[in-house]
Amino acid sequence: MKKKLIFLSFVAFFMALPVVSQRVTPMAYYTNEKGEELETQGSITDGQAPLKVIFRSNPEDMGDYTPSYEWHFSRKSLNGSDSPVELFVRYEEDTEYTFTESGAYTIVQKTRLEQDGVELDSTVITVAISDSKLEFPNAFSPNGDDKNNIYKAKEGWRNIVQFRAIIFNRRGQKLYEWSDLSGGWDGKYNGHDVREGVYYVYVHAKGADGREYNIRKDVNLLRNYTDTQGGGTTTP
C-alpha cells in the first residue's frame, strides 16, 4: 500500500509539471560573396567581411506565453585562449549584426518563458570571417579581345573593407581612380586610349583582419599583345 502511495505521488508530481510544447528555431540569414541569399541553423564558414547577418528566433506555438530572448555574441580570444570573449548581448526576438573584423564568432540564442521561468533549449550559431587577401597584376591588354581588357584586382581577393586605387602616368599625372573592388581601369583617359607603355598604380586598402595594403607597382599596358594560349597577362 505504501509503495502504491509513493508511485501515485510521483505521478501526481510529474503531471503537475508544465508541458513545454513551445519552441524556437533560430536561423541566420546572409548573402555570400556570389550574391546568393543563404540561411543556416549552424555555421557560416569563410565569411567575407563586411558580412551582414540577420538572426531570427522563429518562435512557434507560444500561445499565451510571453517569451524573452537573449542573443549572446562572443569571439574567440586573440591571445590563444580557448575561452571566448563575450562582446555583447541583444534582447530582442530578431537582431542583425555586420561582421567587419576577421575571427571566429559564436552566437548563443536563449529563450525563456516568463510565466513559469522555463528556458527552452539554447541554440549555437558560429560565424567565421577569414583573413584578408589582395593582389594586383603587373600587366593588362586592352585590345578588345575580351581577355584581360581591364586592369583590376586579381580574382580571389577577400575581406577588404576599405579600398582605393589610382593610375598615374610617368609624369605623375592621375589618369584614373576607383574605389569599388569589382571595378578597374580600361586603359583610357578622358575617353581616349592612352599609349602602350608603362604606367603606375597606387593602391591603399584595409582588410577585416586589420592588415593595411599599400601597393605601388608598374602596370604594363600591352595593346598589341595577343593571348594565344588563354593565359592572359596577369603575371604576379
Side-chain angles (χ1 to χ4, degrees):
M1 183 64 179
K2 185 177 181 181
K3 291 183 178 180
K4 184 176 181 180
L5 289 174
I6 294 175
F7 172 76
L8 291 174
S9 297
F10 272 108
V11 171
F13 171 76
F14 283 108
M15 289 182 66
L17 291 176
V19 178
V20 180
S21 61
Q22 295 73 28
R23 61 184 179 275
V24 292
T25 310
M27 300 282 290
Y29 303 82
Y30 66 103
T31 301
N32 66 9
E33 69 276 10
K34 298 179 181 178
E36 301 169 329
E37 296 183 358
L38 303 174
E39 61 183 58
T40 181
Q41 284 183 277
S43 302
I44 299 174
T45 60
D46 197 25
Q48 306 295 304
L51 180 67
K52 177 182 175 181
V53 183
I54 299 173
F55 299 93
R56 294 184 179 139
S57 297
N58 297 317
E60 299 179 64
D61 301 325
M62 289 298 166
D64 295 331
Y65 283 89
T66 302
S68 61
Y69 304 96
E70 295 180 10
W71 295 91
H72 294 255
F73 286 73
S74 60
R75 179 182 180 181
K76 185 176 181 180
S77 176
L78 300 179
N79 62 12
S81 172
D82 292 333
S83 301
V85 177
E86 185 160 275
L87 302 176
F88 53 85
V89 182
R90 298 274 181 85
Y91 300 93
E92 49 200 1
E93 178 179 328
D94 301 333
T95 190
E96 68 177 55
Y97 183 70
T98 299
F99 297 88
T100 58
E101 298 181 0
S102 63
Y105 298 83
T106 300
I107 300 89
V108 179
Q109 199 273 3
K110 299 180 180 180
T111 302
R112 184 182 298 275
L113 304 180
E114 294 185 354
Q115 281 84 344
D116 51 26
V118 172
E119 185 172 308
L120 305 182
D121 291 340
S122 299
T123 298
V124 177
I125 298 174
T126 59
V127 178
I129 305 297
S130 59
D131 293 337
S132 65
K133 179 182 178 181
L134 181 64
E135 297 178 333
F136 271 77
N138 67 357
F140 75 124
S141 55
N143 53 17
D145 64 355
D146 295 327
K147 297 178 181 179
N148 205 33
N149 285 321
I150 303 296
Y151 184 78
K152 58 184 180 180
K154 288 185 177 183
E155 296 293 334
W157 59 265
R158 61 175 182 263
N159 282 330
I160 301 300
V161 295
Q162 295 178 18
F163 172 79
R164 183 188 181 203
I166 305 174
I167 298 291
F168 297 94
N169 62 18
R170 290 188 176 185
R171 298 189 300 274
Q173 179 185 12
K174 184 172 76 173
L175 304 181
Y176 190 73
E177 177 178 348
W178 71 103
S179 57
D180 183 350
L181 263 167
S182 62
W185 183 42
D186 61 1
K188 297 180 183 292
Y189 177 65
N190 287 337
H192 300 285
D193 290 343
V194 300
R195 294 180 179 179
E196 184 176 76
V198 178
Y199 296 84
Y200 308 96
V201 65
Y202 167 67
V203 178
H204 176 69
K206 184 177 181 180
D209 50 3
R211 180 179 176 183
E212 296 276 352
Y213 293 85
N214 290 290
I215 301 172
R216 294 177 174 85
K217 65 189 311 179
D218 295 351
V219 180
N220 293 281
L221 192 158
L222 309 171
R223 292 201 181 278
N224 298 319
Y225 178 86
T226 301
D227 182 11
T228 58
Q229 299 181 354
T233 55
T234 55
T235 54

